[in-house]
Amino acid sequence: MRHHAVLVMTMVAVGAVYACSDDEGGPGMQAGGMGGTAGTSGAAGMGGAAGMGGTVGMGGTVGMGGISTIGGGGMPNTVPPTPALPADAPTVACPTEINGSLDTSDGSQTGRHARIPPISACGMTKGFPSTGPDAMNPHLYDVYRFINPTAAPVCFSFTLSDGGVVERGLDAGPDAATPEAGADAAAEDGGAGGPGVSVAPAKYLTAYGTFFPTDLTLGFLGDVGDSLTAPQTMGITVPAGGTIDVVVYAIDVAPAGVGSYGLSCSTQ
């Protein structure tokens, strides 16, 4: 009996515990609470967006074509020819007479003109006659800048004296004006001092808008053509307020060709 009492007390105790754990419990033992429903699994996370591919690199610009070179050696030919006289050079008025002389200390132009007709005259245009007889050799020169200070074009007439040439006929090429050729020409015409022939170093007269001694093709205005005996003359129209460069040069290759000359200018 004693054993039974203990058992009943134990059961009552257990029932008390269950009653305290259930707010709605009635008499007797309450059933155990239902377990909560399983939580819904979280949706899988979105995968990261694929990275943008890098932009294609710009292609290099095409290289500029090479500029002209001097003598094929790869040096850029960017230096323009230099004029014989600067822009602010002193000017010569016309009429005038100049007593000049070609000396070995003078500058040298590259090549010389083919001496062909016509003789330049005011009111006409003469094309560049070429440097066919001699395109490369140096020739001593003097240059003078003449000015027309008036408000109208003026015809300037130039005369070169003591510049007689030493050959006959049209331009005979690079050897025609050598001292030897000159002596032969003089002999054929009756000896030194014969009619129309001078054994003085031959000179030639040209005119330019601006004279570039290393490029005779630039700015050419006129020359004394096929006039092969002194005096040699030419006419050049100078624009209102304009200037021209008048050049006296030696036919012989430098340092030959030195000697005096006379250059005169008159207006019409």
Side-chain angles (χ1 to χ4, degrees):
M1 291 295 293
R2 188 173 181 173
H3 176 74
H4 287 180
V6 173
L7 177 60
V8 172
M9 291 176 64
T10 302
M11 293 177 62
V12 172
V14 172
V17 171
Y18 279 102
C20 291
S21 63
D22 188 359
D23 292 341
E24 296 181 359
M29 295 181 60
Q30 301 293 320
M34 295 292 291
T37 58
T40 303
S41 299
M46 296 292 290
M52 295 294 291
T55 58
V56 178
M58 295 292 291
T61 57
V62 177
M64 295 293 291
I67 55 181
S68 60
T69 58
I70 298 174
M75 293 294 292
N77 185 14
T78 58
V79 179
T82 302
L85 296 175
D88 60 350
T91 57
V92 181
C94 187
T96 190
E97 292 188 3
I98 297 171
N99 293 317
S101 177
L102 291 178
D103 304 303
T104 55
S105 59
D106 289 333
S108 296
Q109 68 181 38
T110 303
R112 68 173 178 85
H113 303 72
R115 298 186 298 279
I116 59 176
I119 297 172
S120 292
C122 292
M124 65 162 283
T125 299
K126 180 176 180 177
F128 183 72
S130 89
T131 55
D134 182 357
M136 298 299 296
N137 288 311
H139 296 262
L140 299 173
Y141 73 85
D142 283 341
V143 57
Y144 304 92
R145 180 158 292 168
F146 284 82
I147 186 170
N148 171 16
T150 72
V154 176
C155 178
F156 284 20
S157 295
F158 297 95
T159 300
L160 177 66
S161 58
D162 297 326
V165 296
V166 290
E167 76 214 66
R168 286 298 188 187
L170 299 183
D171 201 307
D175 296 326
T178 61
E180 292 80 6
D184 293 342
E188 291 175 1
D189 200 55
V197 175
S198 170
V199 294
K203 299 173 182 65
Y204 200 67
L205 187 64
T206 62
Y208 283 83
T210 298
F211 177 56
F212 296 89
T214 58
D215 191 343
L216 301 185
T217 67
L218 296 178
F220 176 80
L221 295 178
D223 58 30
V224 291
D226 58 343
S227 175
L228 304 179
T229 58
Q232 299 161 301
T233 62
M234 67 179 182
I236 304 293
T237 300
V238 184
T243 63
I244 62 171
D245 291 349
V246 175
V247 183
V248 178
Y249 72 84
I251 296 297
D252 295 332
V253 175
V258 298
S260 61
Y261 60 83
L263 175 62
S264 63
C265 175
S266 62
T267 59
Q268 298 179 359

